Amino acid sequence: MILAGGFGTRLRPLTLTCPKPLVPVANVPIIRRIVEKLPDDVDKVVLAVNYKLEQLRDYFAHNDVGREVVLVEERQPLGTAGAIKNVEAEVDGPFFVFNGDVLDSLDLASFRRFHEKRGGLGTISLWEVPDPRHFGVMEMDGERIVRFVEKPQTKEEAPSHLANAGTYLLEPEVFDFIPAGKAVSVERETFPALLQAGRRLHGFPFGGYWVDAGRPDTYLHANETVLHAAGRKVLLGPGTTHEAATFDDWAVVGARCRVGAGATIARSVLLDGVTVGARATVRDSIVGPGARVGDDAVLVECVVGEGAAIEKGLLLKNVKVDPAADAS
Ligand code: GTP
């Protein structure tokens, strides 16, 4: 199952017009990247959805991902564990849980083999972080998790540098530990309750990459990481044209974009159908679908909403532009 119901507030204005799981990373919607790496014998994908459910439904109606996809609606956001409980009727065996905004190089086949060998009610993927203060951190006894510390205030308070990487493999018995119909957090409530009840949870550290695409800076980092993992620096979508533009460091350009003569795109993402005028500069920025950047405009550390227009010659630094707005 994929947790795909949050509002994605930190990724606004992109998420004002598109649910976060459908926001493309390196030109492929995040949720599609998650589904495509599932082991072949995963036969069903259950999405726990509330915000912008219709857009997600529409996407899967028009895009065959080779598996049965079921959307389960939450009338109100139930939190991560509440969302898991809410899909109970759709699940009849061990199941993976994914965050709809995380991309990583976790090898799901090894993860599953580890879980099957160790037993217990669940296995949690772990990612080593230099500074554990912003993460859910594990205290381990060998491969067993013995305590969860959510966002330790100081580095000293953190029992390890192993953070919850957001992918789980759970046994259906976990459902019995989640109260129905109310908001519950799996990280803060359910996992600690399982340990308290003497049930076993294991941790599975992995290497490679792990990126959370949930904030503008981490979203850019996610694009860069996926691009580099594919051995590329620049990605241009189908139907995109440019006239002697400069792509600096790395750049992701969606489908049907037009980049004008002498423009510079540096460490940035242009989503589908963006127009960038002649000699314009887009640096460390995200430009939403169908937005237009005028000639000679300069965007630095900006997030431009879908269909917005940036006046020619305008200089914007660290600005969020609403969808369909006219910035002049
Ligand atoms: P922010 O508003 O920017 O914090 O983003 P978010 O709402 O997506 O929250 P967060 O990044 O913490 O969520 C992590 C993952 O869990 C995302 O894939 C969300 O879609 C999902 N998620 C968060 N809360 C809920 C919920 O109440 N229900 C469901 N179904 N999914 C949720």
Side-chain angles (χ1 to χ4, degrees):
M1 72 159 296
I2 305 178
L3 294 165
F7 292 109
T9 50
R10 290 166 301 160
L11 206 53
R12 285 179 183 167
L14 295 183
T15 44
L16 290 173
T17 53
C18 180
K20 190 163 55 173
L22 286 185
V23 173
V25 166
N27 288 348
V28 177
I30 299 172
I31 202 157
R32 185 165 193 136
R33 289 193 176 276
I34 295 171
V35 171
E36 282 177 352
K37 70 173 258 196
L38 291 171
D40 288 345
D41 58 339
V42 172
D43 53 2
K44 186 174 181 181
V45 176
V46 183
L47 307 185
V49 183
N50 50 64
Y51 181 65
K52 298 207 180 287
L53 175 128
E54 285 312 319
Q55 260 173 276
L56 279 152
R57 198 193 298 288
D58 198 55
Y59 179 81
F60 286 103
H62 293 97
N63 292 276
D64 182 7
V65 292
R67 290 181 171 85
E68 182 190 1
V69 177
V70 179
L71 277 77
V72 175
E73 179 174 11
E74 277 165 61
R75 299 242 166 67
Q76 75 222 28
L78 290 172
T80 44
I84 293 172
K85 179 73 175 173
N86 201 42
V87 306
E88 184 171 3
E90 298 292 340
V91 176
D92 54 13
F95 58 104
F96 289 112
V97 179
F98 297 91
N99 272 264
D101 56 1
V102 167
L103 291 173
D104 60 39
S105 56
L106 172 66
D107 175 28
L108 293 172
S110 315
F111 184 55
R112 180 163 67 182
R113 274 196 302 277
F114 174 92
H115 175 75
E116 286 167 355
K117 263 199 179 150
R118 300 300 181 278
L121 281 203
T123 300
I124 296 173
S125 62
L126 302 179
W127 180 250
E128 194 169 335
V129 289
D131 181 357
R133 280 176 298 183
H134 307 289
F135 297 89
V137 185
M138 308 295 136
E139 183 172 332
M140 308 291 296
D141 176 7
E143 290 169 333
R144 268 181 84 160
I145 296 171
V146 293
R147 192 164 63 103
F148 289 81
V149 180
E150 265 306 311
K151 305 205 169 68
Q153 298 288 304
T154 61
K155 281 192 184 181
E156 292 67 42
E157 259 178 47
S160 75
H161 285 238
L162 292 172
N164 178 350
T167 299
Y168 317 127
L169 183 45
L170 303 179
E171 295 297 322
E173 215 188 316
V174 167
F175 290 123
D176 301 341
F177 288 83
I178 310 173
K182 60 183 262 201
V184 186
S185 157
V186 77
E187 306 85 351
R188 290 168 200 276
E189 299 172 72
T190 310
F191 289 151
L194 285 168
L195 294 183
Q196 195 125 49
R199 309 312 295 264
R200 273 183 304 137
L201 292 173
H202 293 104
F204 183 83
F206 67 100
Y209 69 86
W210 178 89
V211 281
D212 158 6
R215 300 194 320 242
D217 58 336
T218 61
Y219 173 74
L220 286 172
H221 181 56
N223 277 271
E224 180 187 11
T225 303
V226 171
L227 204 58
H228 286 173
R232 310 191 55 156
K233 293 187 88 173
V234 176
L235 189 62
L236 302 180
T240 282
T241 58
H242 70 93
E243 296 169 47
T246 301
F247 298 102
D248 205 4
D249 204 352
W250 65 268
V252 170
V253 181
R256 302 175 304 283
C257 293
R258 279 185 292 140
V259 182
T264 299
I265 314 294
R267 295 180 301 277
S268 294
V269 176
L270 311 183
L271 293 165
D272 291 347
V274 166
T275 307
V276 175
R279 299 169 305 279
T281 299
V282 179
R283 215 175 270 289
D284 301 303
S285 295
I286 310 162
V287 183
R292 284 161 293 143
V293 179
D295 293 350
D296 302 296
V298 177
L299 299 180
V300 179
E301 292 164 20
C302 291
V303 187
V304 178
E306 179 164 353
I310 310 296
E311 175 90 337
K312 63 181 181 188
L314 199 65
L315 167 65
L316 293 180
K317 184 162 191 298
N318 195 11
V319 173
K320 293 190 175 164
V321 181
D322 279 344
D326 256 313
S328 55

mmCIF file of all heavy atoms in Angstrom, residues 2-11 20-21 48-50 74 76-80 83 98-101 212 214, ligand 1:
data_model
loop_
_atom_site.group_PDB
_atom_site.id
_atom_site.type_symbol
_atom_site.label_atom_id
_atom_site.label_comp_id
_atom_site.label_asym_id
_atom_site.label_seq_id
_atom_site.Cartn_x
_atom_site.Cartn_y
_atom_site.Cartn_z
ATOM 1 N N ILE A 2 0.333 2.277 -0.587
ATOM 2 C CA ILE A 2 1.087 3.534 -0.682
ATOM 3 C C ILE A 2 0.297 4.625 0.027
ATOM 4 O O ILE A 2 -0.888 4.830 -0.258
ATOM 5 C CB ILE A 2 1.328 3.931 -2.149
ATOM 6 C CG1 ILE A 2 2.028 2.781 -2.898
ATOM 7 C CG2 ILE A 2 2.166 5.199 -2.220
ATOM 8 C CD1 ILE A 2 2.266 3.044 -4.370
ATOM 9 N N LEU A 3 0.975 5.280 0.958
ATOM 10 C CA LEU A 3 0.361 6.412 1.659
ATOM 11 C C LEU A 3 0.382 7.598 0.711
ATOM 12 O O LEU A 3 1.454 8.119 0.393
ATOM 13 C CB LEU A 3 1.158 6.730 2.923
ATOM 14 C CG LEU A 3 1.130 5.644 3.996
ATOM 15 C CD1 LEU A 3 2.221 5.878 5.013
ATOM 16 C CD2 LEU A 3 -0.236 5.603 4.650
ATOM 17 N N ALA A 4 -0.773 7.977 0.256
ATOM 18 C CA ALA A 4 -0.817 9.001 -0.794
ATOM 19 C C ALA A 4 -1.867 10.057 -0.475
ATOM 20 O O ALA A 4 -2.477 10.627 -1.365
ATOM 21 C CB ALA A 4 -1.123 8.342 -2.141
ATOM 22 N N GLY A 5 -2.050 10.302 0.821
ATOM 23 C CA GLY A 5 -3.176 11.160 1.178
ATOM 24 C C GLY A 5 -2.841 12.485 1.798
ATOM 25 O O GLY A 5 -3.733 13.257 2.118
ATOM 26 N N GLY A 6 -1.571 12.791 1.993
ATOM 27 C CA GLY A 6 -1.255 14.059 2.658
ATOM 28 C C GLY A 6 -1.550 15.253 1.758
ATOM 29 O O GLY A 6 -1.728 15.106 0.549
ATOM 30 N N PHE A 7 -1.583 16.434 2.356
ATOM 31 C CA PHE A 7 -1.869 17.650 1.587
ATOM 32 C C PHE A 7 -0.625 18.180 0.852
ATOM 33 O O PHE A 7 -0.747 19.010 -0.030
ATOM 34 C CB PHE A 7 -2.403 18.753 2.505
ATOM 35 C CG PHE A 7 -3.763 18.439 3.057
ATOM 36 C CD1 PHE A 7 -3.935 18.114 4.394
ATOM 37 C CD2 PHE A 7 -4.872 18.449 2.228
ATOM 38 C CE1 PHE A 7 -5.190 17.798 4.895
ATOM 39 C CE2 PHE A 7 -6.139 18.139 2.722
ATOM 40 C CZ PHE A 7 -6.291 17.810 4.065
ATOM 41 N N GLY A 8 0.532 17.729 1.277
ATOM 42 C CA GLY A 8 1.757 18.189 0.597
ATOM 43 C C GLY A 8 1.961 19.680 0.721
ATOM 44 O O GLY A 8 2.429 20.335 -0.215
ATOM 45 N N THR A 9 1.665 20.247 1.900
ATOM 46 C CA THR A 9 1.700 21.713 2.055
ATOM 47 C C THR A 9 3.090 22.287 1.791
ATOM 48 O O THR A 9 3.207 23.382 1.251
ATOM 49 C CB THR A 9 1.262 22.124 3.476
ATOM 50 O OG1 THR A 9 2.005 21.337 4.413
ATOM 51 C CG2 THR A 9 -0.206 21.883 3.696
ATOM 52 N N ARG A 10 4.117 21.523 2.167
ATOM 53 C CA ARG A 10 5.459 22.095 2.016
ATOM 54 C C ARG A 10 5.883 22.180 0.551
ATOM 55 O O ARG A 10 6.826 22.883 0.229
ATOM 56 C CB ARG A 10 6.471 21.263 2.828
ATOM 57 C CG ARG A 10 6.276 21.431 4.336
ATOM 58 C CD ARG A 10 7.026 20.367 5.092
ATOM 59 N NE ARG A 10 6.561 19.038 4.693
ATOM 60 C CZ ARG A 10 7.241 17.916 4.869
ATOM 61 N NH1 ARG A 10 8.404 17.960 5.423
ATOM 62 N NH2 ARG A 10 6.738 16.764 4.480
ATOM 63 N N LEU A 11 5.200 21.460 -0.303
ATOM 64 C CA LEU A 11 5.563 21.510 -1.721
ATOM 65 C C LEU A 11 4.605 22.426 -2.513
ATOM 66 O O LEU A 11 4.549 22.387 -3.733
ATOM 67 C CB LEU A 11 5.584 20.094 -2.304
ATOM 68 C CG LEU A 11 6.486 19.857 -3.525
ATOM 69 C CD1 LEU A 11 7.918 20.306 -3.288
ATOM 70 C CD2 LEU A 11 6.466 18.395 -3.937
ATOM 71 N N LYS A 20 0.803 15.292 -4.402
ATOM 72 C CA LYS A 20 2.255 15.076 -4.376
ATOM 73 C C LYS A 20 2.696 13.774 -5.055
ATOM 74 O O LYS A 20 3.691 13.770 -5.777
ATOM 75 C CB LYS A 20 2.750 15.147 -2.923
ATOM 76 C CG LYS A 20 4.237 15.185 -2.778
ATOM 77 C CD LYS A 20 4.698 15.668 -1.413
ATOM 78 C CE LYS A 20 4.134 14.896 -0.261
ATOM 79 N NZ LYS A 20 4.733 15.276 1.033
ATOM 80 N N PRO A 21 1.959 12.651 -4.877
ATOM 81 C CA PRO A 21 2.430 11.416 -5.523
ATOM 82 C C PRO A 21 2.455 11.502 -7.051
ATOM 83 O O PRO A 21 3.141 10.724 -7.705
ATOM 84 C CB PRO A 21 1.417 10.359 -5.061
ATOM 85 C CG PRO A 21 0.802 10.930 -3.826
ATOM 86 C CD PRO A 21 0.792 12.412 -4.017
ATOM 87 N N ALA A 48 -3.881 4.798 -0.376
ATOM 88 C CA ALA A 48 -4.687 5.437 0.668
ATOM 89 C C ALA A 48 -4.725 6.926 0.365
ATOM 90 O O ALA A 48 -3.707 7.609 0.458
ATOM 91 C CB ALA A 48 -4.049 5.181 2.023
ATOM 92 N N VAL A 49 -5.879 7.402 -0.026
ATOM 93 C CA VAL A 49 -5.967 8.732 -0.635
ATOM 94 C C VAL A 49 -7.063 9.574 0.010
ATOM 95 O O VAL A 49 -8.116 9.051 0.375
ATOM 96 C CB VAL A 49 -6.329 8.574 -2.135
ATOM 97 C CG1 VAL A 49 -6.350 9.918 -2.830
ATOM 98 C CG2 VAL A 49 -5.358 7.646 -2.838
ATOM 99 N N ASN A 50 -6.824 10.863 0.136
ATOM 100 C CA ASN A 50 -7.947 11.781 0.346
ATOM 101 C C ASN A 50 -7.794 13.010 -0.543
ATOM 102 O O ASN A 50 -8.581 13.234 -1.427
ATOM 103 C CB ASN A 50 -8.156 12.147 1.833
ATOM 104 C CG ASN A 50 -6.884 12.591 2.517
ATOM 105 O OD1 ASN A 50 -6.302 13.599 2.166
ATOM 106 N ND2 ASN A 50 -6.445 11.814 3.496
ATOM 107 N N GLU A 74 -10.124 8.186 2.114
ATOM 108 C CA GLU A 74 -10.273 8.576 3.520
ATOM 109 C C GLU A 74 -11.089 9.859 3.505
ATOM 110 O O GLU A 74 -10.674 10.829 2.880
ATOM 111 C CB GLU A 74 -8.908 8.924 4.119
ATOM 112 C CG GLU A 74 -8.091 7.773 4.599
ATOM 113 C CD GLU A 74 -6.648 8.214 4.825
ATOM 114 O OE1 GLU A 74 -6.411 9.104 5.660
ATOM 115 O OE2 GLU A 74 -5.788 7.668 4.140
ATOM 116 N N GLN A 76 -11.555 11.902 5.933
ATOM 117 C CA GLN A 76 -10.649 12.912 6.499
ATOM 118 C C GLN A 76 -9.307 12.226 6.726
ATOM 119 O O GLN A 76 -9.281 11.010 6.930
ATOM 120 C CB GLN A 76 -11.196 13.491 7.797
ATOM 121 C CG GLN A 76 -11.065 12.563 8.952
ATOM 122 C CD GLN A 76 -12.325 12.570 9.799
ATOM 123 O OE1 GLN A 76 -13.419 12.822 9.309
ATOM 124 N NE2 GLN A 76 -12.165 12.286 11.052
ATOM 125 N N PRO A 77 -8.220 13.004 6.675
ATOM 126 C CA PRO A 77 -6.905 12.383 6.831
ATOM 127 C C PRO A 77 -6.794 11.630 8.156
ATOM 128 O O PRO A 77 -7.130 12.162 9.213
ATOM 129 C CB PRO A 77 -5.943 13.579 6.812
ATOM 130 C CG PRO A 77 -6.690 14.682 6.166
ATOM 131 C CD PRO A 77 -8.134 14.466 6.480
ATOM 132 N N LEU A 78 -6.373 10.397 8.085
ATOM 133 C CA LEU A 78 -6.350 9.530 9.274
ATOM 134 C C LEU A 78 -4.950 9.330 9.832
ATOM 135 O O LEU A 78 -4.760 8.535 10.751
ATOM 136 C CB LEU A 78 -6.950 8.166 8.920
ATOM 137 C CG LEU A 78 -8.463 8.158 8.655
ATOM 138 C CD1 LEU A 78 -8.893 6.790 8.130
ATOM 139 C CD2 LEU A 78 -9.237 8.511 9.917
ATOM 140 N N GLY A 79 -3.974 10.048 9.274
ATOM 141 C CA GLY A 79 -2.599 9.821 9.712
ATOM 142 C C GLY A 79 -2.082 8.522 9.111
ATOM 143 O O GLY A 79 -2.838 7.757 8.496
ATOM 144 N N THR A 80 -0.797 8.252 9.319
ATOM 145 C CA THR A 80 -0.185 7.119 8.620
ATOM 146 C C THR A 80 -0.760 5.765 9.056
ATOM 147 O O THR A 80 -1.023 4.909 8.214
ATOM 148 C CB THR A 80 1.344 7.161 8.796
ATOM 149 O OG1 THR A 80 1.640 7.463 10.158
ATOM 150 C CG2 THR A 80 1.970 8.226 7.929
ATOM 151 N N ALA A 83 -4.517 5.447 8.062
ATOM 152 C CA ALA A 83 -4.623 5.153 6.630
ATOM 153 C C ALA A 83 -4.372 3.670 6.369
ATOM 154 O O ALA A 83 -5.036 3.047 5.538
ATOM 155 C CB ALA A 83 -3.628 6.008 5.851
ATOM 156 N N PHE A 98 4.543 2.054 1.603
ATOM 157 C CA PHE A 98 5.455 3.076 1.077
ATOM 158 C C PHE A 98 4.912 4.469 1.376
ATOM 159 O O PHE A 98 3.696 4.675 1.383
ATOM 160 C CB PHE A 98 5.568 2.976 -0.457
ATOM 161 C CG PHE A 98 6.138 1.684 -0.920
ATOM 162 C CD1 PHE A 98 5.296 0.611 -1.215
ATOM 163 C CD2 PHE A 98 7.497 1.515 -1.062
ATOM 164 C CE1 PHE A 98 5.814 -0.598 -1.637
ATOM 165 C CE2 PHE A 98 8.020 0.304 -1.482
ATOM 166 C CZ PHE A 98 7.184 -0.754 -1.771
ATOM 167 N N ASN A 99 5.813 5.402 1.556
ATOM 168 C CA ASN A 99 5.440 6.811 1.584
ATOM 169 C C ASN A 99 5.346 7.294 0.152
ATOM 170 O O ASN A 99 6.275 7.046 -0.625
ATOM 171 C CB ASN A 99 6.527 7.636 2.273
ATOM 172 C CG ASN A 99 6.323 7.695 3.761
ATOM 173 O OD1 ASN A 99 5.743 8.637 4.265
ATOM 174 N ND2 ASN A 99 6.771 6.676 4.439
ATOM 175 N N GLY A 100 4.302 8.018 -0.166
ATOM 176 C CA GLY A 100 4.114 8.473 -1.547
ATOM 177 C C GLY A 100 5.039 9.595 -1.952
ATOM 178 O O GLY A 100 4.872 10.167 -3.029
ATOM 179 N N ASP A 101 6.013 9.941 -1.115
ATOM 180 C CA ASP A 101 6.938 11.006 -1.516
ATOM 181 C C ASP A 101 8.398 10.628 -1.316
ATOM 182 O O ASP A 101 9.262 11.494 -1.335
ATOM 183 C CB ASP A 101 6.615 12.319 -0.786
ATOM 184 C CG ASP A 101 6.624 12.170 0.723
ATOM 185 O OD1 ASP A 101 6.903 11.059 1.224
ATOM 186 O OD2 ASP A 101 6.351 13.175 1.398
ATOM 187 N N ASP A 212 13.570 12.236 0.050
ATOM 188 C CA ASP A 212 12.186 12.567 0.362
ATOM 189 C C ASP A 212 11.876 13.800 -0.486
ATOM 190 O O ASP A 212 12.518 14.841 -0.320
ATOM 191 C CB ASP A 212 12.129 12.858 1.867
ATOM 192 C CG ASP A 212 10.936 13.696 2.273
ATOM 193 O OD1 ASP A 212 10.082 13.979 1.432
ATOM 194 O OD2 ASP A 212 10.872 14.063 3.460
ATOM 195 N N GLY A 214 9.506 15.836 -0.520
ATOM 196 C CA GLY A 214 8.393 16.615 0.046
ATOM 197 C C GLY A 214 8.582 18.099 0.225
ATOM 198 O O GLY A 214 7.627 18.784 0.596
HETATM 199 P P1 GTP B 1 3.204 18.225 4.230
HETATM 200 O O1 GTP B 1 1.823 18.827 4.286
HETATM 201 O O2 GTP B 1 4.120 19.053 3.397
HETATM 202 O O3 GTP B 1 3.755 17.866 5.570
HETATM 203 O O4 GTP B 1 3.129 16.853 3.384
HETATM 204 P P2 GTP B 1 2.218 15.541 3.627
HETATM 205 O O5 GTP B 1 0.834 15.971 3.915
HETATM 206 O O6 GTP B 1 2.405 14.678 2.427
HETATM 207 O O7 GTP B 1 2.827 14.894 4.916
HETATM 208 P P3 GTP B 1 4.108 13.982 5.059
HETATM 209 O O8 GTP B 1 5.160 14.446 4.093
HETATM 210 O O9 GTP B 1 4.455 13.898 6.474
HETATM 211 O O10 GTP B 1 3.545 12.567 4.596
HETATM 212 C C1 GTP B 1 4.349 11.468 4.286
HETATM 213 C C2 GTP B 1 3.560 10.535 3.400
HETATM 214 O O11 GTP B 1 2.396 10.079 4.077
HETATM 215 C C3 GTP B 1 3.060 11.170 2.122
HETATM 216 O O12 GTP B 1 3.140 10.172 1.120
HETATM 217 C C4 GTP B 1 1.634 11.527 2.388
HETATM 218 O O13 GTP B 1 0.843 11.437 1.210
HETATM 219 C C5 GTP B 1 1.232 10.448 3.380
HETATM 220 N N1 GTP B 1 0.269 10.898 4.365
HETATM 221 C C6 GTP B 1 0.463 11.804 5.351
HETATM 222 N N2 GTP B 1 -0.644 11.918 6.108
HETATM 223 C C7 GTP B 1 -1.560 11.066 5.580
HETATM 224 C C8 GTP B 1 -2.913 10.732 5.920
HETATM 225 O O14 GTP B 1 -3.493 11.244 6.856
HETATM 226 N N3 GTP B 1 -3.514 9.815 5.135
HETATM 227 C C9 GTP B 1 -2.897 9.210 4.075
HETATM 228 N N4 GTP B 1 -3.565 8.328 3.359
HETATM 229 N N5 GTP B 1 -1.628 9.497 3.725
HETATM 230 C C10 GTP B 1 -0.970 10.418 4.476
#
